[in-house]
Amino acid sequence: MADAVNMTAEEMETLYEEAKTIYYHVKDIEKIKKANAIFHQLDGYKESAAYAKKTDTMIEFRLGNVVTFGNFEGKPIRWKVLEENGKIRLLFAEDIITNRAFNKERDNVNWEKCTLRRWLNQDFLNQAFTLKERMSIFATRRDNPKNREWSTDCGPKTMDKAFVFNHDEIEHYLPNPEDRGLDEWWWTRTMGHNVLSAECVYMDGSIYDIGLNIAQTEIGVRPCIWVMLR
């Protein structure tokens, strides 16, 4: 491409509109890279600088990358990008961000009613993200199928901005156990062999379908969020 200083106004406008069309209508990341190069090339023409920044973010948050978004207890939160669709991304915490009980009391609960869900969708969102960041996080409908092995009811579908994976989602997004394991257990939202327990992922990445006591406070939390890049 020619430098912007060597282009006519008509040529710059043609490129600008081409890149905007890609930005608004094309999902392919390679095309987004092309638009990004055009916006940077145009060097301040109209709103090219703002679009360059937006497409920089889309490229940074591409599938498989580890990115930072938000801040919890003084540390940036690292996320793995597990799904992309246009400007939408599924982010999964690379690390355990805290240790909490699935539910404060050892009582008959499920994901819909547990205190972990309430904390993630209220206190965590407010503590970890700025208002602008929170506006990028949107609620999605989550399925909560029964425990495969024990047929334990896991409750109705829910609408969540922040959540932890269920058994099926772990196997879909993280099919290899080596991609799941950390140095401590972490919660899923699938109930265990009864409603007083919830499945966890063990340190070797295997899913413990019997589940652990929901009131155990030393189990890790790895949130997931869906964000719209802006």
Side-chain angles (χ1 to χ4, degrees):
M1 295 181 190
D3 292 335
V5 293
N6 297 321
M7 287 189 288
T8 66
E10 182 178 357
E11 288 172 331
M12 286 193 291
E13 182 64 17
T14 298
L15 277 177
Y16 182 69
E17 290 301 323
E18 177 189 354
K20 280 178 60 179
T21 298
I22 293 172
Y23 174 77
Y24 284 110
H25 301 293
V26 179
K27 298 177 180 179
D28 181 74
I29 193 67
E30 295 305 318
K31 296 287 182 64
I32 295 297
K33 287 180 179 179
K34 178 182 178 181
N36 177 262
I38 292 173
F39 288 131
H40 280 286
Q41 177 201 11
L42 290 175
D43 193 25
Y45 178 74
K46 290 190 172 180
E47 297 180 34
S48 58
Y51 282 112
K53 186 175 181 180
K54 291 174 185 287
T55 50
D56 283 344
T57 300
M58 292 178 71
I59 293 168
E60 177 189 359
F61 280 66
R62 67 178 302 177
L63 186 66
N65 279 5
V66 175
V67 299
T68 58
F69 181 74
N71 189 294
F72 187 70
E73 295 185 343
K75 297 180 180 179
I77 306 174
R78 301 191 313 138
W79 308 86
K80 184 74 170 285
V81 182
L82 293 185
E83 189 169 331
E84 65 179 15
N85 185 2
K87 301 177 185 66
I88 296 172
R89 302 290 188 273
L90 171 62
L91 306 183
F92 170 61
E94 270 283 279
D95 312 296
I96 288 170
I97 63 159
T98 191
N99 297 88
R100 296 183 68 86
F102 187 88
N103 197 67
K104 286 185 177 179
E105 305 294 334
R106 192 165 189 262
D107 199 359
N108 292 350
V109 296
N110 51 41
W111 171 247
E112 180 192 32
K113 299 177 181 179
C114 74
T115 57
L116 176 59
R117 176 176 180 247
R118 188 181 317 136
W119 177 81
L120 282 169
N121 284 276
Q122 296 178 11
D123 294 349
F124 170 67
L125 288 180
N126 290 325
Q127 292 171 16
F129 305 103
T130 65
L131 176 59
K132 182 178 179 180
E133 289 169 339
R134 289 199 300 273
M135 290 175 65
S136 299
I137 303 169
F138 58 95
T140 56
R141 186 177 297 278
R142 312 317 307 163
D143 291 331
N144 297 295
K146 291 181 179 181
N147 182 299
R148 296 183 191 176
E149 183 69 23
W150 307 96
S151 297
T152 314
D153 183 56
C154 296
K157 295 181 179 181
T158 54
M159 289 294 291
D160 298 313
K161 287 190 172 184
F163 55 97
V164 293
F165 275 147
N166 66 18
H167 189 122
D168 293 345
E169 290 164 343
I170 290 171
E171 292 193 338
H172 174 72
Y173 289 110
L174 303 165
N176 299 315
E178 57 266 28
D179 294 329
R180 312 169 189 161
L182 294 176
D183 57 359
E184 52 185 305
W185 301 65
W186 48 277
W187 291 115
T188 81
R189 68 176 192 275
T190 299
M191 305 312 296
H193 71 291
N194 60 35
V195 291
L196 300 177
S197 61
E199 287 190 353
C200 292
V201 176
Y202 190 54
M203 290 178 286
D204 65 1
S206 59
I207 301 174
Y208 187 59
D209 59 26
I210 293 177
L212 295 177
N213 181 342
I214 58 173
Q216 286 190 229
T217 58
E218 66 271 22
I219 309 304
V221 180
R222 298 180 73 179
C224 307
I225 55 175
W226 285 92
V227 299
M228 172 71 77
L229 303 182
R230 300 178 185 276

